[in-house]
Amino acid sequence: MKFTVIFLFSFLLLNSCRPPQANDLFQAVLWMQTSPEYQAQCLQTYDQAVKLLPQAVADTGWLAALEQPSCDPTLPPAVILDVDETVLDNSPYEGYLIRNRQEYQTESWERWCQLAQAKPIPGAVEFCRKAEQSGIKVFYVTNRKANLHEATFQNLQKTGFPLSLGMKSILPKTTSSDKSERRRQIAGEYRIIMLIGDNLGDMAGIFTGSAISVRQEALQKYASNFGRCWFILPNPAYGDWDGALFGFDYKLAQEEQRRLKETRLRSF
Ligand SMILES: [Mg+2]
């Protein structure tokens, strides 16, 4: 009994002296929510994409998707954008997780998505409208699940994004997070001229769920696509870059994920 009490007391004392563990999302989310530096990066990415639209439309050999190495030059042009952190800003969801000391969970995520209250990412509405006005079909290929299709449609509509094919403008997650199959589907009817996302899987399947070294090699291989037909937006909060740090084993406890992350840290 005495031993238990001493043990418990020591345990409490030790833990009260230890500073609370910082939430991994804290700095990243504040940067995204408050810094003009983040906004400027989004704007410059979309501005560059807008500037290249006329050239991409005119050049029938301008192809963005690896799933479409060649195509019928008469196919109408299309652009594909991801949704989360590409056209819609979900940082209030991350803010909720930080403030309530919670981890990502499907239930809370879907509750946020159902509200359809996400604001647009800077530059995204302007880009999509410009594309639509130039006769380019705009598709949103997302890994949000089918049960969020309607809410996502409402959110995009509310924020002014073109949805000329109605609900069909949005392709939600099927059985796989790999978006290759959905790009292939669009490639059957359209010439895909640009891919825009915050995760490299929004550009090519090789980046989805792959090890850091594989992702780095693929980046080198396709380097010339960036800023031309592939456009990447910053996302320091989450993504495959983060999952790759702990082998995409999302079932691991936070502490273990953190331990694995620390092994990746370079220092002098
Ligand atoms: Mg995304």
Side-chain angles (χ1 to χ4, degrees):
M1 178 66 185
K2 198 174 166 191
F3 178 76
T4 312
V5 171
I6 292 168
F7 175 78
L8 200 68
F9 183 72
S10 320
F11 179 81
L12 289 172
L13 191 71
L14 201 70
N15 275 284
S16 64
C17 294
R18 207 177 280 166
Q21 181 83 69
N23 187 304
D24 282 343
L25 290 169
F26 188 61
Q27 282 287 104
V29 172
L30 283 176
W31 183 70
M32 293 170 93
Q33 291 186 338
T34 68
S35 79
E37 286 82 357
Y38 168 71
Q39 293 176 31
Q41 283 191 39
C42 296
L43 289 172
Q44 75 187 15
T45 302
Y46 276 117
D47 282 353
Q48 169 74 0
V50 165
K51 285 194 187 102
L52 288 172
L53 283 175
Q55 205 184 328
V57 171
D59 178 358
T60 55
W62 189 293
L63 299 166
L66 301 183
E67 294 80 15
Q68 190 174 45
S70 65
C71 87
D72 174 353
T74 64
L75 286 182
V79 289
I80 300 179
L81 298 100
D82 163 57
V83 172
D84 297 317
E85 275 49 70
T86 298
V87 300
L88 292 181
D89 165 14
N90 299 293
S91 66
Y93 173 68
E94 314 289 337
Y96 167 89
L97 295 182
I98 298 165
R99 187 156 282 165
N100 294 286
R101 292 173 170 75
Q102 288 184 18
E103 292 170 25
Y104 171 91
Q105 277 180 337
T106 309
E107 187 275 321
S108 56
W109 166 247
E110 296 194 344
R111 192 151 39 88
W112 156 253
C113 293
Q114 293 291 2
L115 294 174
Q117 280 177 359
K119 300 272 186 294
I121 295 289
V125 175
E126 294 76 7
F127 170 82
C128 292
R129 285 193 180 162
K130 186 75 193 165
E132 192 70 24
Q133 286 160 12
S134 315
I136 302 162
K137 214 40 108 189
V138 180
F139 286 97
Y140 309 90
V141 174
T142 176
N143 278 340
R144 285 186 176 197
K145 288 188 256 165
N147 61 325
L148 298 170
H149 199 161
E150 176 67 35
T152 306
F153 179 84
Q154 298 297 342
N155 202 153
L156 290 175
Q157 195 175 45
K158 229 191 274 181
T159 39
F161 285 98
L163 293 145
S164 66
L165 294 174
M167 294 272 279
K168 285 186 179 162
S169 293
I170 307 166
L171 284 80
K173 187 173 174 174
T174 49
T175 47
S176 168
S177 306
D178 188 334
K179 296 181 171 179
S180 306
E181 199 43 53
R182 284 170 280 167
R183 282 190 290 268
R184 200 169 287 122
Q185 199 183 316
I186 297 167
E189 290 181 68
Y190 296 89
R191 174 166 62 90
I192 303 165
I193 59 171
M194 283 181 192
L195 298 169
I196 306 183
D198 65 301
N199 202 24
L200 287 174
D202 299 325
M203 282 87 205
I206 180 75
F207 294 108
T208 305
S210 304
I212 296 174
S213 59
V214 174
R215 305 183 88 240
Q216 294 284 5
E217 275 167 37
L219 174 80
Q220 299 302 324
K221 186 173 174 186
Y222 301 113
S224 64
N225 286 352
F226 291 99
R228 195 185 71 88
C229 58
W230 290 4
F231 296 89
I232 188 91
L233 292 147
N235 184 354
Y238 67 91
D240 276 7
W241 72 267
D242 180 52
L245 294 170
F246 50 90
F248 301 94
D249 191 351
Y250 292 97
K251 290 204 173 73
L252 286 178
Q254 286 287 306
E255 283 303 305
E256 182 59 9
Q257 287 185 11
R258 241 173 189 278
R259 194 192 62 74
L260 290 169
K261 285 184 186 184
E262 280 190 25
T263 66
R264 301 287 186 175
L265 192 68
R266 285 197 301 264
S267 98
F268 78 102

